[in-house]
PDB file of all heavy atoms in Angstrom:
ATOM      1  N   SER A   5     110.982 103.817 110.603  1.00 83.00           N
ATOM      2  CA  SER A   5     111.019 104.039 109.195  1.00 83.00           C
ATOM      3  C   SER A   5     111.040 105.587 108.908  1.00 83.00           C
ATOM      4  O   SER A   5     110.400 106.368 109.620  1.00 83.00           O
ATOM      5  CB  SER A   5     109.818 103.414 108.469  1.00 83.00           C
ATOM      6  OG  SER A   5     108.622 103.926 108.953  1.00 83.00           O
ATOM      7  N   ILE A   6     111.708 105.969 107.845  1.00 89.00           N
ATOM      8  CA  ILE A   6     111.844 107.314 107.486  1.00 89.00           C
ATOM      9  C   ILE A   6     111.344 107.511 106.102  1.00 89.00           C
ATOM     10  O   ILE A   6     111.789 106.815 105.108  1.00 89.00           O
ATOM     11  CB  ILE A   6     113.269 107.815 107.551  1.00 89.00           C
ATOM     12  CG1 ILE A   6     113.913 107.591 108.958  1.00 89.00           C
ATOM     13  CG2 ILE A   6     113.469 109.297 107.126  1.00 89.00           C
ATOM     14  CD1 ILE A   6     115.365 107.840 109.068  1.00 89.00           C
ATOM     15  N   ASP A   7     110.359 108.409 105.870  1.00 90.00           N
ATOM     16  CA  ASP A   7     109.861 108.696 104.472  1.00 90.00           C
ATOM     17  C   ASP A   7     111.066 109.192 103.647  1.00 90.00           C
ATOM     18  O   ASP A   7     111.866 110.011 104.044  1.00 90.00           O
ATOM     19  CB  ASP A   7     108.783 109.729 104.502  1.00 90.00           C
ATOM     20  CG  ASP A   7     107.473 109.207 105.136  1.00 90.00           C
ATOM     21  OD1 ASP A   7     107.139 108.044 104.751  1.00 90.00           O
ATOM     22  OD2 ASP A   7     106.858 109.921 105.903  1.00 90.00           O
ATOM     23  N   SER A   8     111.134 108.663 102.406  1.00 92.00           N
ATOM     24  CA  SER A   8     112.226 109.113 101.526  1.00 92.00           C
ATOM     25  C   SER A   8     112.216 110.556 101.196  1.00 92.00           C
ATOM     26  O   SER A   8     113.255 111.199 100.992  1.00 92.00           O
ATOM     27  CB  SER A   8     112.151 108.304 100.228  1.00 92.00           C
ATOM     28  OG  SER A   8     110.991 108.674  99.450  1.00 92.00           O
ATOM     29  N   THR A   9     111.059 111.213 101.309  1.00 90.00           N
ATOM     30  CA  THR A   9     110.944 112.659 101.035  1.00 90.00           C
ATOM     31  C   THR A   9     111.460 113.452 102.248  1.00 90.00           C
ATOM     32  O   THR A   9     111.532 114.734 102.095  1.00 90.00           O
ATOM     33  CB  THR A   9     109.456 112.949 100.859  1.00 90.00           C
ATOM     34  OG1 THR A   9     108.652 112.397 101.871  1.00 90.00           O
ATOM     35  CG2 THR A   9     108.945 112.459  99.480  1.00 90.00           C
ATOM     36  N   CYS A  10     111.877 112.874 103.308  1.00 90.00           N
ATOM     37  CA  CYS A  10     112.483 113.621 104.400  1.00 90.00           C
ATOM     38  C   CYS A  10     113.933 113.984 104.123  1.00 90.00           C
ATOM     39  O   CYS A  10     114.530 114.723 104.923  1.00 90.00           O
ATOM     40  CB  CYS A  10     112.372 112.842 105.734  1.00 90.00           C
ATOM     41  SG  CYS A  10     110.667 112.624 106.320  1.00 90.00           S
ATOM     42  N   VAL A  11     114.521 113.468 103.060  1.00 90.00           N
ATOM     43  CA  VAL A  11     115.896 113.751 102.741  1.00 90.00           C
ATOM     44  C   VAL A  11     115.905 114.612 101.479  1.00 90.00           C
ATOM     45  O   VAL A  11     115.246 114.292 100.481  1.00 90.00           O
ATOM     46  CB  VAL A  11     116.677 112.433 102.464  1.00 90.00           C
ATOM     47  CG1 VAL A  11     118.122 112.745 102.116  1.00 90.00           C
ATOM     48  CG2 VAL A  11     116.621 111.569 103.676  1.00 90.00           C
ATOM     49  N   GLU A  12     116.603 115.721 101.521  1.00 89.00           N
ATOM     50  CA  GLU A  12     116.594 116.707 100.418  1.00 89.00           C
ATOM     51  C   GLU A  12     117.454 116.151  99.274  1.00 89.00           C
ATOM     52  O   GLU A  12     118.328 115.303  99.452  1.00 89.00           O
ATOM     53  CB  GLU A  12     117.160 118.051 100.886  1.00 89.00           C
ATOM     54  CG  GLU A  12     116.289 118.702 101.943  1.00 89.00           C
ATOM     55  CD  GLU A  12     116.815 120.051 102.351  1.00 89.00           C
ATOM     56  OE1 GLU A  12     117.991 120.400 101.933  1.00 89.00           O
ATOM     57  OE2 GLU A  12     116.128 120.775 103.099  1.00 89.00           O
ATOM     58  N   ASP A  13     117.198 116.726  98.105  1.00 90.00           N
ATOM     59  CA  ASP A  13     117.979 116.408  96.846  1.00 90.00           C
ATOM     60  C   ASP A  13     118.002 114.933  96.533  1.00 90.00           C
ATOM     61  O   ASP A  13     118.953 114.401  96.057  1.00 90.00           O
ATOM     62  CB  ASP A  13     119.388 116.924  97.001  1.00 90.00           C
ATOM     63  CG  ASP A  13     119.520 118.412  97.297  1.00 90.00           C
ATOM     64  OD1 ASP A  13     118.639 119.199  96.688  1.00 90.00           O
ATOM     65  OD2 ASP A  13     120.350 118.817  98.074  1.00 90.00           O
ATOM     66  N   MET A  14     116.807 114.246  96.746  1.00 93.00           N
ATOM     67  CA  MET A  14     116.738 112.857  96.464  1.00 93.00           C
ATOM     68  C   MET A  14     115.625 112.494  95.478  1.00 93.00           C
ATOM     69  O   MET A  14     115.305 111.417  95.237  1.00 93.00           O
ATOM     70  CB  MET A  14     116.455 112.071  97.729  1.00 93.00           C
ATOM     71  CG  MET A  14     117.623 112.007  98.690  1.00 93.00           C
ATOM     72  SD  MET A  14     118.922 110.899  98.157  1.00 93.00           S
ATOM     73  CE  MET A  14     118.116 109.326  98.376  1.00 93.00           C
ATOM     74  N   GLN A  18     114.196 108.966  94.059  1.00 96.00           N
ATOM     75  CA  GLN A  18     112.812 108.533  94.302  1.00 96.00           C
ATOM     76  C   GLN A  18     112.080 108.205  93.001  1.00 96.00           C
ATOM     77  O   GLN A  18     111.303 107.306  92.926  1.00 96.00           O
ATOM     78  CB  GLN A  18     112.040 109.655  95.028  1.00 96.00           C
ATOM     79  CG  GLN A  18     112.613 109.951  96.439  1.00 96.00           C
ATOM     80  CD  GLN A  18     112.195 111.364  96.889  1.00 96.00           C
ATOM     81  OE1 GLN A  18     111.341 112.007  96.287  1.00 96.00           O
ATOM     82  NE2 GLN A  18     112.792 111.838  97.978  1.00 96.00           N
ATOM     83  N   LYS A  75     105.152 107.566  96.946  1.00 88.00           N
ATOM     84  CA  LYS A  75     105.824 108.147  98.105  1.00 88.00           C
ATOM     85  C   LYS A  75     104.848 109.154  98.772  1.00 88.00           C
ATOM     86  O   LYS A  75     103.826 109.575  98.182  1.00 88.00           O
ATOM     87  CB  LYS A  75     107.114 108.842  97.742  1.00 88.00           C
ATOM     88  CG  LYS A  75     106.933 109.996  96.708  1.00 88.00           C
ATOM     89  CD  LYS A  75     108.325 110.540  96.352  1.00 88.00           C
ATOM     90  CE  LYS A  75     108.225 111.773  95.476  1.00 88.00           C
ATOM     91  NZ  LYS A  75     107.725 111.468  94.145  1.00 88.00           N
ATOM     92  N   LEU A  76     105.116 109.515 100.003  1.00 84.00           N
ATOM     93  CA  LEU A  76     104.294 110.394 100.791  1.00 84.00           C
ATOM     94  C   LEU A  76     105.151 111.588 101.220  1.00 84.00           C
ATOM     95  O   LEU A  76     106.376 111.478 101.369  1.00 84.00           O
ATOM     96  CB  LEU A  76     103.677 109.707 101.941  1.00 84.00           C
ATOM     97  CG  LEU A  76     102.776 108.566 101.674  1.00 84.00           C
ATOM     98  CD1 LEU A  76     102.284 107.868 102.973  1.00 84.00           C
ATOM     99  CD2 LEU A  76     101.525 108.963 100.901  1.00 84.00           C
ATOM    100  N   PRO A  77     104.523 112.716 101.562  1.00 85.00           N
ATOM    101  CA  PRO A  77     105.201 113.823 102.176  1.00 85.00           C
ATOM    102  C   PRO A  77     105.933 113.378 103.449  1.00 85.00           C
ATOM    103  O   PRO A  77     105.539 112.464 104.131  1.00 85.00           O
ATOM    104  CB  PRO A  77     104.140 114.840 102.426  1.00 85.00           C
ATOM    105  CG  PRO A  77     103.031 114.511 101.500  1.00 85.00           C
ATOM    106  CD  PRO A  77     103.017 113.034 101.369  1.00 85.00           C
ATOM    107  N   CYS A  78     107.010 114.075 103.796  1.00 85.00           N
ATOM    108  CA  CYS A  78     107.761 113.728 104.988  1.00 85.00           C
ATOM    109  C   CYS A  78     106.900 113.614 106.210  1.00 85.00           C
ATOM    110  O   CYS A  78     106.126 114.571 106.517  1.00 85.00           O
ATOM    111  CB  CYS A  78     108.892 114.789 105.146  1.00 85.00           C
ATOM    112  SG  CYS A  78     109.960 114.450 106.513  1.00 85.00           S
ATOM    113  N   ASN A  79     107.064 112.501 106.918  1.00 80.00           N
ATOM    114  CA  ASN A  79     106.309 112.262 108.154  1.00 80.00           C
ATOM    115  C   ASN A  79     104.767 112.189 108.033  1.00 80.00           C
ATOM    116  O   ASN A  79     104.082 112.270 108.989  1.00 80.00           O
ATOM    117  CB  ASN A  79     106.707 113.336 109.261  1.00 80.00           C
ATOM    118  CG  ASN A  79     108.139 113.291 109.631  1.00 80.00           C
ATOM    119  OD1 ASN A  79     108.762 112.193 109.672  1.00 80.00           O
ATOM    120  ND2 ASN A  79     108.680 114.485 109.897  1.00 80.00           N
ATOM    121  N   ALA A  80     104.308 111.975 106.755  1.00 73.00           N
ATOM    122  CA  ALA A  80     102.885 111.780 106.586  1.00 73.00           C
ATOM    123  C   ALA A  80     102.423 110.444 107.109  1.00 73.00           C
ATOM    124  O   ALA A  80     103.236 109.459 107.169  1.00 73.00           O
ATOM    125  CB  ALA A  80     102.534 111.890 105.116  1.00 73.00           C
ATOM    126  N   GLN A 150     107.547 104.846  99.862  1.00 92.00           N
ATOM    127  CA  GLN A 150     109.043 104.804  99.888  1.00 92.00           C
ATOM    128  C   GLN A 150     109.615 105.242 101.190  1.00 92.00           C
ATOM    129  O   GLN A 150     109.236 106.242 101.805  1.00 92.00           O
ATOM    130  CB  GLN A 150     109.554 105.729  98.797  1.00 92.00           C
ATOM    131  CG  GLN A 150     109.390 105.296  97.381  1.00 92.00           C
ATOM    132  CD  GLN A 150     109.955 106.249  96.380  1.00 92.00           C
ATOM    133  OE1 GLN A 150     110.704 107.176  96.710  1.00 92.00           O
ATOM    134  NE2 GLN A 150     109.632 106.022  95.122  1.00 92.00           N
ATOM    135  N   LYS A 151     110.531 104.431 101.699  1.00 93.00           N
ATOM    136  CA  LYS A 151     111.304 104.739 102.909  1.00 93.00           C
ATOM    137  C   LYS A 151     112.793 104.688 102.609  1.00 93.00           C
ATOM    138  O   LYS A 151     113.195 103.978 101.700  1.00 93.00           O
ATOM    139  CB  LYS A 151     110.963 103.679 104.036  1.00 93.00           C
ATOM    140  CG  LYS A 151     109.475 103.438 104.285  1.00 93.00           C
ATOM    141  CD  LYS A 151     108.822 104.673 104.756  1.00 93.00           C
ATOM    142  CE  LYS A 151     107.322 104.393 105.010  1.00 93.00           C
ATOM    143  NZ  LYS A 151     106.561 105.633 105.358  1.00 93.00           N
ATOM    144  N   ILE A 152     113.539 105.389 103.403  1.00 94.00           N
ATOM    145  CA  ILE A 152     114.994 105.476 103.165  1.00 94.00           C
ATOM    146  C   ILE A 152     115.720 104.934 104.426  1.00 94.00           C
ATOM    147  O   ILE A 152     115.341 105.121 105.536  1.00 94.00           O
ATOM    148  CB  ILE A 152     115.437 106.971 102.898  1.00 94.00           C
ATOM    149  CG1 ILE A 152     116.916 106.951 102.434  1.00 94.00           C
ATOM    150  CG2 ILE A 152     115.201 107.869 104.062  1.00 94.00           C
ATOM    151  CD1 ILE A 152     117.362 108.291 101.829  1.00 94.00           C
TER     152      ILE A 152
END
Side-chain angles (χ1 to χ4, degrees):
S5 62
I6 303 172
D7 290 318
S8 67
T9 48
C10 293
V11 180
E12 296 181 353
D13 301 324
M14 290 285 289
Q18 298 159 9
K75 60 183 186 293
L76 297 175
C78 181
N79 296 326
Q150 290 182 9
K151 309 298 179 186
I152 189 168

